Amino acid sequence: MVSLQFTEDPLENELETEENSRGFANPNYPNQSERPNGGITPNPTENTSGSNWRSELDITIAAIYVEDALHFRNVPFRPDKLSLYQVYQSKAIRYLFVVFPALLLGLALVENPAVKVLEVHWQAIFGLELVCLIACASRVFHLRLCLQRGDFWSDVKNCAIIASIFIMFVDMMVWLGYKIAEDREVIRVSRILRPLLIINFSDNRNLRKLLRNIKKTVVDVLSVLVLIFLFIAIFAMMATKFFERRSLLDPHGDPYLDNFLDSYWNLYVLMTTANSPDVSLPAFRSEQAFFVFFMPFSVITTFVLMNILLAVVYKHYKMHLLEEVKVDVGIIQSNLIKAFSLLKDPNTNHISKNVWLKAYKDFGCPDTLQNLYWDYMVPSEELPGISLQAFFKITDLLSSQIEVVITKKTWLELNIPFIYNSSVSCYLRCAIEHFAFTLIYDVLIVANAIVLSIQNAPAFLEDLFLALFNLEIVLKIYTYGPKKFASTAWNCYDCLVIWSATIFSLVVDAEGLHDTKNEEMSAVFLDMVLTLRVLRLLKLLLSIPQLRLIVSTLMQIIPSMGSYALLLFLFYYSYAILGMELFAGKIINDTVNCGREELNGTDFVAENYCVLSFNNILYSFVLLWTLTLVNQWHILTEGFVAVTSKASRLYFLSFHVLVVLIILNIFLAFVIEAFMMQIELDDDKEEGIDEHLNERGMNARRESHPQNQPVWYRSPSLTHSDKGEGEEDLKKIYIGTTPLDEKLRYKRQKSTKSYNQLLLEMFQEDIQAEETSLTDTGTAGVGVSGVGTSGSGDVEIHRQTSDVRRGSNHTSTVQQRLSSVQEDDPELVETDETPTKDDLSYGSLDMDII
């Protein structure tokens, strides 16, 4: 939930009147007749003194601002290009233009060196790549039409996209010339630039945010990295002096640590523990006292410096993320203030009910929820409408997945109520909902797992367990109804596994497959299906509160990891392209010594690593993933060094430093912080829209009766009784745990959090603490708690209204925060002063955060 609080100013009403007299003029259109669509002005015959009149243009622009706030966008679109901008930001177009950069990346599957089964003619590759580049260029051109020329060209990422497309196009033409003239392949380095198109497109702001944070974090941890490399260099010099004259040999018969570069490389690998203890054994065999040399090295580098690196990465990355979240808060507030200024009544400074009824559909509010949203933002009938503070709740409402819950009777209750509501049926359903029923089947799940683990267990036990589990499903469907039963993921899983095993068992018995040549295959499939039932033990384990908390926490943070996964994929792609250009064809699988005599007698051949190569994009990804896991990565490196030169170590060393030491540590820092935050959250705490629904008894998530306790309701029957004709006879009817009433109910789905939503929750307390400090010192501030998320919380803006409205030189905290990241953020455009109301209308924005 979002709320806004202003520090009252005694001159506020006077200033408000002065601004209202100026109107909502766009700086680009000082004359209102020059506004888009010919300058929409109210009809003189209409009542424009109140809040009933708002043009469709005002509502459309306000809806754009609200949508941009939901997606953390702040785009300086041209007011006369609203239709183009709406098309540009539409879901269909955005999803469509995700396809073309993805296809461009996918060309690596069919380009030389191609995956054999996917290899196509080079002319088809050229045509497809040309289409993708044209589509990407059209996307950039579309954005150019929506922005002013200065706003477009001042954005570095737009220039980066255009430069990348131009370089790739020139590279295509050179490649085409060589194919036509000489029919041979050439090095295509421009393929490494393909990930830049995905990173720099405006829809991938999270990726750019991650890259900015990585860049800043690398600068911050550079001192630790230098210290690590310095320690390795010192020990490498010591190792060279110790062993160069001892004429020791490694297990392959090569000189042992006889020069600085080899010593440095082996000690770096030792820091990763990949070659431990192999690298120290020759020295230890020569003299046991050399253990004193290798032990301190491992303690200092592996146990001390590497953990210091993680701590420094965690500290600085969290700090940089906090700055990004502050910018996100500023984006949300900036857009919502602009939207509110377009919709509010100048006389009351509130959005009236009539304007809300016109605008709610444009905001994406369903018809079934528009009254609920209004009641939530206008809790009292005495209020003239939606205030600015209440309007800040709109992002929480629109991002919360709220649905109307209509309690319907089951098919059995509707068609055979005399059976479904009978005494026997009531007691049966009461027993099924009782805790004992769940406990009994938990015991059966454990017993089934034990039977499956016993070799040559009696066959009739499998049939018995199948029958019992089928009975459980039938009883639950009878009690809860098919729709409510299927709404639980575990129930669907039970049906899939149990019914599959049952059907297959019946088919096997009916057709006598055990007597055919398919007996073995049929038995394997049946065993696989039956074994899947063991996963039901997870359901049992989740009944333990601590384990359930951990699993639910993982389910919340896993979706937010998508940005990290995509970023890691793009790094893999770039390194795979570079690796194929450097090492393709150097190692051949299914041949003696991997097709190279240089590898004869090496660990690379002895470990049968010939399949790990750069011969196509799939092999390259597998190899890079193996390098990421670190184990045996030095053997893989030495294999490619043997067929090229020792300079190849730079490729593998850079990959380890960038991906393993930097990116994975940053990812680990994010997981630690997100996990700690989720653990500390109270899932049962209901605030915001949930609290509003609870106060009115409309929250379908809150049961009116204790769990697993049956409810009996005395319902009037229209039958005649001894008390007289027409009197009502009370009939005792069991209705389960759902209260029987006709009141409309709503439910907010517990959806998983996006990356931005999780960040806002992660730094809620940090921003609030900072805002408390700023408020105490009299400085304007912006606070956030759950802004635009499906969670709850409050955002408070404490701002000196007189400073903003008078257009003083005081810079708002939003602008301070935007300026704090301006140096490293090419997407931000500086402003000299706080926007006035004139700047809050018709697309006039002073910052470009796309």
Side-chain angles (χ1 to χ4, degrees):
M1 176 181 62
V2 182
S3 61
L4 185 65
Q5 295 180 355
F6 284 106
T7 304
E8 295 294 337
D9 192 315
L11 300 177
E12 180 176 357
N13 294 333
E14 178 183 350
L15 292 169
E16 194 67 44
T17 303
E18 178 184 353
E19 289 180 345
N20 291 336
S21 65
R22 299 202 317 263
F24 300 109
N26 189 317
N28 297 320
Y29 297 91
N31 186 350
Q32 289 296 306
S33 61
E34 298 179 9
R35 285 175 51 184
N37 299 338
I40 300 178
T41 56
N43 190 322
T45 62
E46 295 180 354
N47 179 17
T48 60
S49 61
S51 60
N52 292 331
W53 182 87
R54 278 297 179 272
S55 70
E56 293 296 331
L57 180 62
D58 291 333
I59 294 175
T60 300
I61 297 176
I64 291 175
Y65 285 144
V66 171
E67 182 180 1
D68 285 353
L70 284 170
H71 295 90
F72 303 91
R73 297 193 298 253
N74 211 348
V75 185
F77 57 88
R78 294 174 56 181
D80 57 334
K81 302 294 184 180
L82 290 181
S83 298
L84 277 175
Y85 181 69
Q86 287 178 307
V87 172
Y88 180 85
Q89 296 292 9
S90 64
K91 287 185 178 181
I93 295 297
R94 287 191 287 116
Y95 291 155
L96 176 64
F97 280 93
V98 167
V99 174
F100 293 105
L103 284 176
L104 204 57
L105 295 180
L107 288 177
L109 293 169
V110 297
E111 291 174 325
N112 185 56
V115 179
K116 291 184 179 179
V117 295
L118 300 177
E119 191 172 2
V120 298
H121 197 272
W122 69 269
Q123 293 177 347
I125 297 174
F126 177 84
L128 185 58
E129 185 173 4
L130 183 61
V131 170
C132 292
L133 289 180
I134 292 174
C136 294
S138 67
R139 179 69 171 168
V140 179
F141 180 71
H142 191 170
L143 178 62
R144 168 63 186 89
L145 295 179
C146 299
L147 305 180
Q148 298 289 350
R149 179 179 299 178
D151 294 329
F152 178 84
W153 290 109
S154 62
D155 195 335
V156 177
K157 67 177 181 297
N158 295 330
C159 300
I161 294 176
I162 294 175
S164 300
I165 293 175
F166 177 76
I167 294 174
M168 284 187 280
F169 180 78
V170 172
D171 185 57
M172 281 179 56
M173 295 299 106
V174 173
W175 174 61
L176 177 64
Y178 273 98
K179 292 296 291 186
I180 295 176
E182 302 181 13
D183 192 22
R184 69 182 180 91
E185 295 289 341
V186 294
I187 296 177
R188 298 197 59 196
V189 183
S190 67
R191 295 192 296 172
I192 301 177
L193 301 178
R194 290 173 181 174
L196 292 179
L197 296 181
I198 292 182
I199 293 172
N200 287 298
F201 269 131
S202 60
D203 306 307
N204 297 316
R205 184 171 178 269
N206 288 339
L207 277 180
R208 295 192 296 277
K209 184 190 300 184
L210 285 176
L211 283 175
R212 287 197 300 270
N213 290 336
I214 289 174
K215 181 185 69 173
K216 297 175 185 176
T217 304
V218 168
V219 174
D220 294 328
V221 303
L222 192 59
S223 58
V224 181
L225 290 175
V226 170
L227 185 61
I228 292 174
F229 292 136
L230 180 61
F231 264 97
I232 297 176
I234 293 174
F235 276 87
M237 288 186 291
M238 294 170 60
T240 303
K241 291 298 181 183
F242 287 156
F243 304 116
E244 65 178 348
R245 297 180 181 179
R246 292 181 178 270
S247 301
L248 298 179
L249 300 177
D250 63 15
H252 303 290
D254 298 325
Y256 177 72
L257 303 182
D258 64 334
N259 61 78
F260 175 77
L261 293 179
D262 286 344
S263 299
Y264 194 97
W265 169 256
N266 282 281
L267 290 178
Y268 182 88
V269 176
L270 178 60
M271 180 189 67
T272 68
T273 71
N275 62 351
S276 178
D278 298 346
V279 70
S280 62
L281 290 182
F284 189 70
R285 292 191 189 101
S286 172
E287 184 65 49
Q288 295 182 2
F290 281 123
F291 175 77
V292 180
F293 171 79
F294 290 98
M295 187 270 291
F297 173 81
S298 297
V299 170
I300 293 174
T301 57
T302 305
F303 298 116
V304 177
L305 292 179
M306 294 297 288
N307 286 298
I308 290 177
L309 176 65
L310 175 59
V312 174
V313 167
Y314 177 81
K315 174 186 175 182
H316 289 279
Y317 183 67
K318 181 180 177 180
M319 179 181 65
H320 297 316
L321 275 183
L322 176 59
E323 293 300 321
E324 294 284 353
V325 172
K326 293 175 183 178
V327 174
D328 289 342
V329 174
I331 292 173
I332 296 173
Q333 295 166 346
S334 174
N335 282 304
L336 292 182
I337 291 174
K338 294 173 178 63
F340 183 83
S341 67
L342 293 170
L343 299 178
K344 70 174 183 177
D345 181 0
N347 299 322
T348 62
N349 287 329
H350 287 70
I351 300 176
S352 68
K353 183 66 175 288
N354 292 331
V355 173
W356 168 253
L357 292 177
K358 292 180 180 179
Y360 76 89
K361 287 186 178 180
D362 294 290
F363 291 164
C365 172
D367 292 335
T368 55
L369 300 178
Q370 56 101 355
N371 288 326
L372 173 66
Y373 287 3
W374 173 264
D375 292 339
Y376 178 56
M377 292 185 289
V378 187
S380 173
E381 295 181 356
E382 299 178 357
L383 296 175
I386 302 174
S387 64
L388 181 56
Q389 177 180 356
F391 188 69
F392 265 54
K393 303 174 183 178
I394 191 69
T395 51
D396 176 69
L397 293 173
L398 295 177
S399 60
S400 299
Q401 299 182 10
I402 303 175
E403 62 180 13
V404 179
V405 177
I406 303 176
T407 304
K408 295 182 179 180
K409 296 181 179 180
T410 65
W411 183 89
L412 292 174
E413 190 175 4
L414 290 174
N415 293 275
I416 47 175
F418 59 91
I419 296 179
Y420 190 82
N421 294 323
S422 64
S423 299
V424 176
S425 176
C426 290
Y427 281 108
L428 176 62
R429 288 184 280 128
C430 180
I432 294 171
E433 291 187 347
H434 199 274
F435 176 74
F437 181 83
T438 304
L439 182 61
I440 290 172
Y441 271 92
D442 288 344
V443 174
L444 289 176
I445 291 174
V446 176
N448 182 37
I450 295 174
V451 170
L452 289 174
S453 63
I454 298 176
Q455 292 183 353
N456 301 321
F460 76 92
L461 290 178
E462 291 294 340
D463 297 334
L464 177 61
F465 280 117
L466 276 179
L468 291 174
F469 290 139
N470 276 291
L471 178 62
E472 177 194 16
I473 293 174
V474 172
L475 290 176
K476 286 184 176 180
I477 293 176
Y478 173 81
T479 301
Y480 302 111
K483 184 176 180 180
K484 186 176 180 180
F485 175 83
S487 63
T488 304
W490 275 113
N491 290 338
C492 297
Y493 176 79
D494 288 344
C495 288
L496 177 64
V497 174
I498 301 302
W499 288 353
S500 297
T502 302
I503 294 173
F504 191 80
S505 298
L506 293 175
V507 171
V508 169
D509 294 337
E511 298 185 3
L513 295 179
H514 288 293
D515 299 328
T516 67
K517 62 180 180 180
N518 295 323
E519 176 183 354
E520 183 178 354
M521 183 180 65
S522 303
V524 170
F525 181 79
L526 181 59
D527 291 341
M528 182 182 65
V529 174
L530 294 177
T531 306
L532 288 176
R533 294 188 323 216
V534 178
L535 294 179
R536 301 183 72 195
L537 288 173
L538 294 176
K539 181 180 179 182
L540 180 60
L541 293 176
L542 291 179
S543 62
I544 302 175
Q546 292 82 357
L547 292 178
R548 184 171 62 248
L549 179 61
I550 293 175
V551 172
S552 62
T553 300
L554 289 175
M555 296 303 295
Q556 285 292 333
I557 66 176
I558 284 176
S560 61
M561 298 178 185
S563 298
Y564 289 90
L566 180 57
L567 180 64
L568 187 62
F569 170 81
L570 295 179
F571 271 100
Y572 270 38
Y573 186 90
S574 297
Y575 266 93
I577 294 295
L578 181 59
M580 288 190 295
E581 296 290 354
L582 295 175
F583 307 114
K586 300 294 184 181
I587 292 176
I588 303 174
N589 190 24
D590 298 331
T591 58
V592 179
N593 294 328
C594 303
R596 301 298 296 264
E597 288 298 328
E598 299 92 331
L599 295 175
N600 185 24
T602 62
D603 290 337
F604 192 91
V605 173
E607 297 291 343
N608 197 22
Y609 287 161
C610 299
V611 71
L612 298 175
S613 64
F614 288 99
N615 292 338
N616 61 52
I617 191 70
L618 296 184
Y619 283 142
S620 301
F621 266 75
V622 174
L623 176 57
L624 293 175
W625 173 249
T626 306
L627 294 174
T628 305
L629 299 179
V630 178
N631 188 34
Q632 303 287 59
W633 76 286
H634 64 294
I635 296 179
L636 296 171
T637 302
E638 292 305 321
F640 288 94
V641 168
V643 297
T644 53
S645 67
K646 291 184 179 181
S648 300
R649 290 174 178 172
L650 295 175
Y651 172 88
F652 296 92
L653 180 64
S654 65
F655 179 83
H656 184 269
V657 171
L658 183 60
V659 175
V660 179
L661 296 187
I662 303 298
I663 296 180
L664 290 188
N665 274 328
I666 287 176
F667 174 71
L668 182 59
F670 170 79
V671 172
I672 291 174
E673 183 66 20
F675 192 84
M676 292 174 61
M677 182 270 298
Q678 287 290 335
I679 288 290
E680 295 173 357
L681 285 181
D682 183 5
D683 291 336
D684 296 328
K685 186 177 181 181
E686 294 179 332
E687 296 179 352
I689 187 63
D690 283 326
E691 185 179 12
H692 175 78
L693 295 175
N694 291 337
E695 292 175 353
R696 288 155 177 78
M698 297 187 297
N699 196 345
R701 290 178 57 187
R702 171 173 290 191
E703 295 181 346
S704 299
H705 302 275
Q707 188 175 7
N708 295 321
Q709 296 296 321
V711 180
W712 297 89
Y713 176 71
R714 299 185 66 83
S715 175
S717 174
L718 298 179
T719 58
H720 296 284
S721 67
D722 296 337
K723 297 181 180 180
E725 184 174 355
E727 288 190 4
E728 294 179 344
D729 182 23
L730 295 179
K731 181 180 180 181
K732 195 175 184 181
I733 300 178
Y734 172 76
I735 62 169
T737 58
T738 304
L740 186 64
D741 60 60
E742 300 299 331
K743 177 178 281 189
L744 188 63
R745 282 180 170 78
Y746 303 89
K747 179 172 66 174
R748 180 174 63 82
Q749 299 287 348
K750 281 191 174 182
S751 58
T752 55
K753 298 178 178 66
S754 66
Y755 176 73
N756 287 313
Q757 292 171 342
L758 193 58
L759 288 183
L760 290 172
E761 290 190 5
M762 284 170 58
F763 298 103
Q764 167 183 336
E765 295 182 357
D766 297 289
I767 296 180
Q768 286 180 337
E770 178 180 335
E771 290 309 316
T772 302
S773 176
L774 290 174
T775 305
D776 292 340
T777 59
T779 307
V782 183
V784 62
S785 173
V787 183
T789 70
S790 58
S792 60
D794 290 311
V795 169
E796 296 183 358
I797 295 183
H798 303 282
R799 183 172 64 174
Q800 294 296 332
T801 311
S802 58
D803 289 340
V804 176
R805 298 187 188 281
R806 293 185 185 119
S808 68
N809 292 327
H810 171 70
T811 304
S812 70
T813 304
V814 176
Q815 287 294 331
Q816 292 175 9
R817 286 169 178 162
L818 293 173
S819 300
S820 68
V821 296
Q822 174 65 38
E823 181 178 355
D824 297 305
D825 189 352
E827 299 179 11
L828 302 181
V829 180
E830 293 184 359
T831 56
D832 296 330
E833 58 184 12
T834 303
T836 62
K837 180 180 289 187
D838 290 339
D839 301 320
L840 303 181
S841 61
Y842 302 120
S844 173
L845 300 177
D846 294 321
M847 44 196 153
D848 175 19
I849 310 176
I850 301 179

